[in-house]
Amino acid sequence: MVISPSHLKHSFEIIVNNFLLLVATPAMALVLLRKAAQLGPDEILSGLHGLRQVHVLLAVFLPFALATLYLMSRSRSVYYSCCRPNSNCRVSIGSATENARFSLDDGGHQFMARMLKRSGLGDQTYVHPSLHYIPPGCTLSEGRDEAEQVIFAAVDDLLAKTGIRPEAIDILVTNCTAFNPTPSLADIVVNRYKLRADIRSVHISGMGCSAGVISLEVARNLLQAAPRAARALMVSTEFTSLINYTGKNRAMLLPAALFRMGAAAVLLSTSRSRSRFRLQHIVRTVTAAQDRAYRCAYQEEDDVGGMGINLSKELVAVAGDALQANIVAIGSVVLPPSEKLLFALSFVARKVFNKKIKLYVPDFRTAFQHFCIHCGGRAVIDAVQTSLRLSAENIEPSRMTLHRFGNTSSSSLWYELAYIEAKRRMRKGDRVWMVGFGSGFKCNSAVWQCITSASNTDIGTPWADSIHMYPLNISEVS
């Protein structure tokens, strides 16, 4: 019989991860038995009678009370909903390429055609109708119209699914990077749904594609200070009509090839009622102190005053560095002891014996059943898959979301979660790792645990009309 390395590692994981059960528990039982044998029955009973009632009460009640308080304070995602824009907003790769031919010079058109072909996007993504015109209509009114379309569609669907009345919402957190009108997007939502005058509303701007996780943390922290069973509505979105660029700077043309229309609405609560997911951890990493990271996604004017977002060639490398720092932080709280031990041993070997020894890359599949990696682009997804040693199925939600909806910025992670649920892969107890990247540069993670798997009524937009076509072989359809 041949023992493979995978079998050896599996045995190692069982022994290390269950060390307390296999070693410490029998040892403790042996110590207690020896102590009992030395004292005798009479001495043991005498000691028990000598305990005060207050000691017994504290020993029983205090741990129970602390555990109850901890469970009550944890945020739970009651429901979430993603917008599927109207069919008149769809844009194919061919249409986007043709529009670029009339909007850009010859060099810009050829560059855009190459980027669209390699982007990993399909022919069913969405942009606002103003971008279908030649030249595109990028005005404030068009931006407001796009905002209202996607935000209202996501929130309407969420309220319909949950049956929650707007006046029952206590906290509102919205986020968008490029479009920040006055009144704010939070005020637009308050006005539309006639939310209460005492609602705690916050709008987050300029934080890039990872702003969705930041909004989660803000909503969670506000819930901790709110009364029991309070509800927080979080809305994540980005707008395509104001980041469109038609100049000659190639790096500033990239966002138009990747970003698409979309939004997600999430309802959080500290109540157990109808909860779908439990928010377990949020870990944020900011590398803006480094100039290279700070300028890798930078909004600026080109030589002739055209406004756009400049994506540096170092973006993927910067994202990799931020991810590495983030996984070190999150690995310490989610990885099983066996993976931590292997990493520690490789670290010691590298320091003591040979600096050329590679650090062990923990297998995060031992901690998570599902992965939602921000679909910022094909190169970003490839880099994350390689660095984390993920399988094609692990990374499938990211690739398919990029193909179907494009990069919808901070809302993309929720489209990926919706993909997993539409494929009926989510089970009670499963853990999900959301990883978002954003300008600054930031890498933010959120860890969820499934409390209740999705019912038939939960599987609706945005994948209802297309999930049967996925997964696709992107290399063949791009």
CSV table of all heavy atoms in Angstrom, one decimal, residues 236-255:
chain,number,residue,atom,x,y,z
A,236,SER,N,-24.4,49.1,-1.6
A,236,SER,CA,-23.1,49.3,-2.3
A,236,SER,C,-23.3,49.4,-3.8
A,236,SER,O,-24.1,48.6,-4.4
A,236,SER,CB,-22.2,48.1,-2.0
A,236,SER,OG,-21.8,48.0,-0.7
A,237,THR,N,-22.7,50.4,-4.4
A,237,THR,CA,-22.8,50.6,-5.8
A,237,THR,C,-21.7,51.4,-6.4
A,237,THR,O,-20.8,51.9,-5.7
A,237,THR,CB,-24.2,51.3,-6.1
A,237,THR,OG1,-24.4,51.2,-7.5
A,237,THR,CG2,-24.2,52.7,-5.7
A,238,GLU,N,-21.7,51.5,-7.7
A,238,GLU,CA,-20.7,52.4,-8.4
A,238,GLU,C,-21.4,52.8,-9.7
A,238,GLU,O,-22.4,52.1,-10.2
A,238,GLU,CB,-19.4,51.6,-8.8
A,238,GLU,CG,-18.3,52.6,-9.2
A,238,GLU,CD,-18.0,53.7,-8.2
A,238,GLU,OE1,-17.5,53.4,-7.1
A,238,GLU,OE2,-18.4,54.8,-8.5
A,239,PHE,N,-21.0,53.9,-10.3
A,239,PHE,CA,-21.7,54.4,-11.5
A,239,PHE,C,-20.8,54.5,-12.7
A,239,PHE,O,-19.6,55.1,-12.6
A,239,PHE,CB,-22.4,55.7,-11.2
A,239,PHE,CG,-23.4,55.6,-10.1
A,239,PHE,CD1,-23.1,56.1,-8.8
A,239,PHE,CD2,-24.5,54.8,-10.2
A,239,PHE,CE1,-24.0,56.0,-7.8
A,239,PHE,CE2,-25.4,54.6,-9.2
A,239,PHE,CZ,-25.1,55.2,-7.9
A,240,THR,N,-21.2,54.1,-13.8
A,240,THR,CA,-20.4,54.0,-15.0
A,240,THR,C,-20.4,55.3,-15.8
A,240,THR,O,-19.5,55.6,-16.5
A,240,THR,CB,-20.9,52.9,-15.9
A,240,THR,OG1,-22.3,53.1,-16.2
A,240,THR,CG2,-20.7,51.5,-15.3
A,241,SER,N,-21.5,56.1,-15.6
A,241,SER,CA,-21.6,57.3,-16.5
A,241,SER,C,-20.7,58.4,-16.2
A,241,SER,O,-20.4,59.3,-17.0
A,241,SER,CB,-23.1,57.8,-16.4
A,241,SER,OG,-23.4,58.1,-15.1
A,242,LEU,N,-20.1,58.4,-15.0
A,242,LEU,CA,-19.2,59.5,-14.6
A,242,LEU,C,-17.7,59.0,-14.5
A,242,LEU,O,-16.8,59.8,-14.2
A,242,LEU,CB,-19.5,60.1,-13.2
A,242,LEU,CG,-20.8,61.0,-13.2
A,242,LEU,CD1,-21.0,61.6,-11.9
A,242,LEU,CD2,-20.7,62.0,-14.3
A,243,ILE,N,-17.4,57.8,-14.9
A,243,ILE,CA,-16.0,57.3,-14.9
A,243,ILE,C,-15.6,57.0,-16.4
A,243,ILE,O,-14.5,56.5,-16.6
A,243,ILE,CB,-15.8,56.1,-14.0
A,243,ILE,CG1,-16.6,54.9,-14.5
A,243,ILE,CG2,-16.0,56.4,-12.6
A,243,ILE,CD1,-16.3,53.6,-13.8
A,244,ASN,N,-16.5,57.4,-17.3
A,244,ASN,CA,-16.2,57.2,-18.7
A,244,ASN,C,-15.1,58.2,-19.2
A,244,ASN,O,-15.2,59.3,-18.9
A,244,ASN,CB,-17.4,57.3,-19.6
A,244,ASN,CG,-17.2,56.9,-21.0
A,244,ASN,OD1,-16.9,55.7,-21.3
A,244,ASN,ND2,-17.3,57.8,-21.9
A,245,TYR,N,-14.1,57.7,-19.9
A,245,TYR,CA,-13.0,58.5,-20.3
A,245,TYR,C,-12.8,58.3,-21.8
A,245,TYR,O,-12.8,57.2,-22.3
A,245,TYR,CB,-11.7,58.2,-19.5
A,245,TYR,CG,-10.5,58.8,-20.0
A,245,TYR,CD1,-10.2,60.2,-19.7
A,245,TYR,CD2,-9.5,58.2,-20.8
A,245,TYR,CE1,-9.1,60.8,-20.1
A,245,TYR,CE2,-8.4,58.8,-21.2
A,245,TYR,CZ,-8.1,60.1,-20.8
A,245,TYR,OH,-7.0,60.7,-21.3
A,246,THR,N,-12.6,59.4,-22.5
A,246,THR,CA,-12.4,59.3,-24.0
A,246,THR,C,-11.2,60.0,-24.5
A,246,THR,O,-11.1,60.3,-25.7
A,246,THR,CB,-13.7,59.9,-24.7
A,246,THR,OG1,-13.8,61.3,-24.3
A,246,THR,CG2,-14.9,59.1,-24.4
A,247,GLY,N,-10.2,60.1,-23.6
A,247,GLY,CA,-8.9,60.8,-24.0
A,247,GLY,C,-7.9,59.8,-24.5
A,247,GLY,O,-8.3,58.7,-25.0
A,248,LYS,N,-6.6,60.2,-24.5
A,248,LYS,CA,-5.6,59.4,-25.1
A,248,LYS,C,-4.7,58.6,-24.1
A,248,LYS,O,-3.8,57.8,-24.5
A,248,LYS,CB,-4.7,60.3,-25.9
A,248,LYS,CG,-5.4,61.0,-27.1
A,248,LYS,CD,-4.4,61.9,-27.9
A,248,LYS,CE,-5.2,62.5,-29.1
A,248,LYS,NZ,-4.3,63.4,-29.9
A,249,ASN,N,-4.9,58.8,-22.8
A,249,ASN,CA,-4.2,58.1,-21.8
A,249,ASN,C,-4.7,56.6,-21.7
A,249,ASN,O,-5.8,56.4,-21.3
A,249,ASN,CB,-4.3,58.8,-20.5
A,249,ASN,CG,-3.3,58.2,-19.4
A,249,ASN,OD1,-3.1,57.0,-19.3
A,249,ASN,ND2,-2.7,59.1,-18.6
A,250,ARG,N,-3.8,55.7,-22.1
A,250,ARG,CA,-4.3,54.3,-22.2
A,250,ARG,C,-4.6,53.8,-20.8
A,250,ARG,O,-5.6,53.0,-20.6
A,250,ARG,CB,-3.1,53.4,-22.7
A,250,ARG,CG,-2.7,53.8,-24.2
A,250,ARG,CD,-3.8,53.5,-25.2
A,250,ARG,NE,-3.4,53.8,-26.5
A,250,ARG,CZ,-3.7,55.0,-27.1
A,250,ARG,NH1,-4.4,55.9,-26.5
A,250,ARG,NH2,-3.3,55.2,-28.4
A,251,ALA,N,-3.9,54.1,-19.8
A,251,ALA,CA,-4.2,53.6,-18.4
A,251,ALA,C,-5.5,54.1,-17.9
A,251,ALA,O,-6.1,53.4,-17.1
A,251,ALA,CB,-3.0,54.0,-17.5
A,252,MET,N,-6.0,55.2,-18.4
A,252,MET,CA,-7.3,55.8,-17.9
A,252,MET,C,-8.4,55.2,-18.8
A,252,MET,O,-9.6,55.5,-18.4
A,252,MET,CB,-7.2,57.3,-18.0
A,252,MET,CG,-6.2,57.9,-17.0
A,252,MET,SD,-5.8,59.7,-17.3
A,252,MET,CE,-7.3,60.4,-16.6
A,253,LEU,N,-8.1,54.5,-19.8
A,253,LEU,CA,-9.2,53.8,-20.6
A,253,LEU,C,-9.6,52.5,-20.0
A,253,LEU,O,-10.7,52.0,-20.3
A,253,LEU,CB,-8.7,53.6,-22.0
A,253,LEU,CG,-8.6,54.8,-22.9
A,253,LEU,CD1,-7.9,54.4,-24.2
A,253,LEU,CD2,-9.9,55.4,-23.2
A,254,LEU,N,-8.8,51.9,-19.2
A,254,LEU,CA,-9.1,50.6,-18.6
A,254,LEU,C,-10.4,50.5,-17.8
A,254,LEU,O,-11.1,49.5,-18.0
A,254,LEU,CB,-7.9,50.1,-17.7
A,254,LEU,CG,-6.6,49.6,-18.5
A,254,LEU,CD1,-5.5,49.4,-17.5
A,254,LEU,CD2,-6.9,48.4,-19.3
A,255,PRO,N,-10.7,51.5,-17.0
A,255,PRO,CA,-12.0,51.3,-16.2
A,255,PRO,C,-13.2,51.2,-17.1
A,255,PRO,O,-14.1,50.4,-16.8
A,255,PRO,CB,-12.0,52.6,-15.4
A,255,PRO,CG,-10.6,53.0,-15.2
A,255,PRO,CD,-9.9,52.6,-16.5
